[in-house]
Amino acid sequence: MTDKLARLNANVKGQEAELELPVYKGTYGPDVIDVRALTKSGLLTYDPGFVSTASCQSRITFIDGDKGQLLHCGYPIEQLAEQSDFLEVSYLLLHGELPSAREKDNFIHAVTRHTLVHEQLAEILKGFYRDAHPMAVLCGLVSAMSSFYHDSLDISSAPHREKTALRLIAKMPTLAAMAYKYALGQPAMTPRNDLSYGGNFLHMMFATPCEPYKVSPTLAKAMDKIFLLHADHEQNASTSTVRMAGSSGANPFSCIAAGIAALWGPAHGGANEAVLKMLDEIGDESRIDHYIARAKDKKDPFRLMGFGHRVYKNFDPRARVMMQTCNEVLAELGIDDPQLKIAKKLEEIALRDSYFIERNLYPNVDFYSGITLKALGIPREMFTVVFAIGRTPGWISHWHEMLSEDYRISRPRQLYTGPARRDFVPLTER
Ligand code: SDX
């Protein structure tokens, strides 16, 4: 696999030694040093947060953080956002190639006819408080799905894995809309097979039994593009969580529920909701400088939500497309949202500030998505749920890829800094 070596001089079991470690080169990206041999030498690597760690090989997505590039199976996100659609990208992530016209039709037909969920899930939904956060509801319902579908849970079977992928991609919007309607106290809306994926979600969210929701093609396309922009992002925290859970052979629905849980955090998928909260708090352009100062103050936990990224040290290419989509939606709806003005002013000021420039902090995908979703009428607590719908094909494609090849259970080690061995002290002597 390689003739390149990295050499490490280290003390191995009391002896100075030079270790030769294989170096691998991918299609793109940094070379990687295979450190698996270190264990035999009694050494470990140390990389909290996995900043410098490649956890796996993957053919699905590549991010060039310096150039601000995102490729799905080689295709740039800008071209996919412009010329493709969410279900076609979902197919691409799952199968590694764009579908033919027939393959695309068959995939859309299959997804469309798996959008219904088991009536028992509606019963499980009733166990939640009405004001439960929809991410808690979604996580619970997807985890509950692991008690269904015993016809396709042989994770060693590729057809079973593909059927599970189809079911999850198809049912996420239905479950998400159920969570929203439940919070409103309205009846859930049945999915419609005559609508597009994005249009169907808007229908299930905003139609009622008393009145249909007229799906605007522009808004349905914007919804589809928002899902597409979130479809996959290599080994981010939630995808790595899905891989980790999958590596134990766990039920795929439980693995995706684990991914939903990891996505919820404000440092990850919860950032879109946090951006709106931040813009609310800033309230007016005159207060932007104060918040920029807070974001730079090490003693202040406040961070500019929607800014910065572990990998991107340039613009997140998705953020540019999202801003364009935001403008299109606001124009279509004739909305002049003052929060958009604050966001654009915040971006302009931050990008001129040396603190952000030195740290390569740019807007990420979450910076404009919240304003767009708000304009579509989607409530703030549903923003990360929308992110989860979009990321489902990415999560399940990484799970499928891992299980399609030889894999081992993920089990990181640690640097132990606790007490040395000591004897138990009986209570009477403490
Ligand atoms: C997503 O991984 C993915 O691919 C994720 C994602 C995906 O599609 O799956 O792209 C989706 O999660 C996007 C990120 C959404 N999160 C946010 O917008 C929350 C705000 N951003 C930060 O919390 C932060 O930038 C992270 C979490 C995104 C990245 O954190 P890192 O890589 O651990 O970077 P860091 O915290 O070490 O920051 C480096 C420096 C620090 O300053 P110094 O210690 O060097 O002085 O930059 C500063 C940080 O304090 N910094 C910020 C900042 N982000 C980083 N300072 C102010 N505001 C910020 N937003």
Side-chain angles (χ1 to χ4, degrees), residues 233 236 266-268 271 295 298 303-310 318 355 359 361 364 366 387 391:
H233 217 233
N236 58 84
H268 190 13
K298 288 297 161 216
R303 284 197 161 181
L304 222 44
M305 300 316 283
F307 256 75
H309 198 276
R310 171 60 57 77
R318 301 168 297 173
Y355 173 93
R359 292 168 178 80
L361 301 176
N364 58 51
D366 294 301
F387 193 145
R391 186 52 52 89

Side-chain angles (χ1 to χ4, degrees), residues 105-139:
D105 286 346
N106 291 343
F107 187 69
I108 292 173
H109 183 272
V111 169
T112 305
R113 278 149 190 81
H114 277 83
T115 48
L116 280 173
V117 296
H118 197 292
E119 279 303 292
Q120 284 308 106
L121 281 169
E123 293 307 309
I124 294 171
L125 182 60
K126 290 176 187 148
F128 288 94
Y129 282 122
R130 291 280 179 176
D131 62 355
H133 194 289
M135 280 297 278
V137 175
L138 185 67
C139 195

Side-chain angles (χ1 to χ4, degrees), residues 215-231:
V215 180
S216 136
T218 308
L219 301 189
K221 186 161 175 46
M223 194 71 248
D224 188 272
K225 195 172 287 187
I226 290 168
F227 290 142
L228 187 155
L229 290 172
H230 290 86

